[in-house]
Amino acid sequence: MSDYKIIWTKIDEAPELASYSLLPLVQSFTKGTGINVETRDISLAGRIIANFPDNLTEEQKIPDYLAQLGDLVKQPDANIIKLPNISASIPQLQAAIKELQTKGYNIPEYPEEPKNDEELALQKRFAVALGSAVNPVLREGNSDRRAAASVKKFAQKFPHRMMKAWPESGSKARVAYMKEKDFFGSEISMTMEKATDVKIEFVANNGDVKVLKPKLSLIEGEVIDTSVMNVKALREFYAEQIEEARKDGVLLSLHLKATMMKISDPIMFGHAVSVYYKEALDKHAESLKEIGANLNNGLQDVLDKLDRLPADKKAEVEADIANVYQTQPALAMVDSRYGITNLHVPNNVIVDASMPNVVRDGGKMWNNDDQLQDCIAMIPDRCYATMYDVILEDAKANGQFNPATMGSVSNVGLMAQKAEEYGSHDKTFEAIADGIIRVVDAEGNSLLSQDVEKGDIFRMCQTKDIAIKDWVKLAVRRAKAAGTPAIFWLNPERGHDAEIIKKVEKYLPEHDTNGLDIQIMKPTDAMKFSLERIRKGLDTISVTGNVLRDYLTDLFPILELGTSARMLSIVPLLNGGGLFETGAGGSAPKHVQQMVKEGHLRWDSLGEYCALVPSLELAYEKTGNPKAKVLAETLDYAIGIYLENGKLPSRKVNEIDNRGSSFYLGLYWAQALAAQNSDAELKARFTKIASALAENEATIASELLSAQGSPYDLGGYYQPDYEKTTKAMRPSATLNAIIDEM
């Protein structure tokens, strides 16, 4: 029998650091079993290097592993464990380029504002590294995301302590959203009756036509939609909320996703910066234009480029920006120690990670005095803002959620074949003038048309029929397996959702739904339904589109488990393979900062542990290799023991961290393999290993703890030095000797 291959993705930040200690353990445990665990570099730095080989040495070049994995996910033998990667904003891309340049990589600068065709072409080349570049390539299937039974049981037995009470005296916290002229209000949608090629073009009021996208191939049954954000209305909305925050004495905060929505949301972010700091920015508009300040990259981009001005002018601009805070309402803070506000960098506050924390923290965010304070959470577009409004109002009325007793909301997410990739693709445009933007088919017929004003944000989206059909099938399968209600979160008042509802109603009758509770509800009603069940300790399956999948699979796990990193995410690929995702990396940057400063990595690899179980089960299913089955069963058991014994990483230095957690997982896994009787060879091998690990437990734990408390030089953020990071993440000579000898 030939060896079976599991691909473990090399990615970024905290989960990548954790892999330095966990992966050698996994590879040692699977060695000689017919299962090979191999890595492929799809990190931000790796994607940049792979796509810009022109001026690199042979030693520096690496293959385009993302493209290779994109081909692999379409094969029936695909088995990929995908850790959370950076969905890069432009500031992150620029920082990664700068770091690679300092390491001797001849990578060109990213042209923010292309001045010629060459720079425009260069900007397009960099697009493969920006935003949600990885997920659309690998997600050749829909998502089944839930907490493993052992993880949920542990969370209820040992509830996390991060929940803060909602004040009984009342809260001024609220979600603010536009009432008209947003994406929700303008969205129109249709289902393709036949395959055709279309183009997207802008038609000015004087009749001039500019082609924005020359060719897009659509297939029969595909759902397409277009929508527009009116920026004049958006700016009026921001101004209104600024005044409301000032009047109510609450923090002002903005919640977007400038990483996944890499075109639309940075523009919306830039308008918020422009409106809030209007007095200072308008006064110095000419100077800021000269230095190339880009508000879409946040206030920090302005501050970083002030060095290009004469010293006295720089001081004047800085003083005027500082004066803004005297008259405007206080902003929610990212880091009050350094004056980093919600509007400094677009990727600092990301809606799917930030809004759960608002709920968790009693409707509050951090102010400039490092105290929690009520906030207005601005989520301009109504497509999903309203469901956040429902959960805040529920918490106001009923108090904080209790992790010890609350039920679960798992998710079946529509994401196969780039479904609903709003804003993260090349079909989003900023209107260059007043006119219309339309989608025109090969015969010259206008399929969808939107009126636009200069600066408006137009976006188009595709969702393929095969993805929707598979999504419905997966929802029915999960409803049967879990025995809980499955709710499609779809709003018939929204253009896109109305088309999807037709598909759901068409494909549901193809399955045996006898005895199942499957309903279609508007997101606000679905949220109310789910919250009512949660408070009774009951479980519900949310069946949602791609963006809402992203939001809900952070929202509920953060409340239930303390982090979404502990979720199990299985993606049954359309052609029979499996993709196993390991949680969310939204807090990963802070984890790296703590590791560099204190030598403590608090990243929780439970998501990776849990993902490896179904990955090994798939290996058994595909090959019949009994060792894969034994490895999966014993690992699942070991995870339960690991949780029962409370070996999760602490947030505090000089207590157990990620490295200690992985050691204990290895100890319990080895003991489980030694105790099983299904495979004599594995039993004999791991009896010796389990004994060695147990006998040296105190020594290993001591060596791991003694490695904490001091700063670490990892040799880079986006591309850590291998030797330095290995030394940092594998500091126990005793453990290394046992593992490496395996």
Side-chain angles (χ1 to χ4, degrees), residues 390-419:
V390 169
I391 192 170
L392 257 65
E393 294 305 312
D394 178 273
K396 286 182 187 179
N398 300 304
Q400 188 58 277
F401 298 92
N402 184 356
T405 59
M406 66 188 295
S408 289
V409 178
S410 57
N411 182 263
V412 174
L414 172 61
M415 66 180 194
Q417 298 192 341
K418 304 183 182 181

Side-chain angles (χ1 to χ4, degrees), residues 258-274:
T259 49
M260 176 189 278
M261 320 294 191
K262 67 183 181 183
I263 300 173
S264 60
D265 284 28
I267 297 172
M268 293 163 66
F269 191 93
H271 283 293
V273 175
S274 172

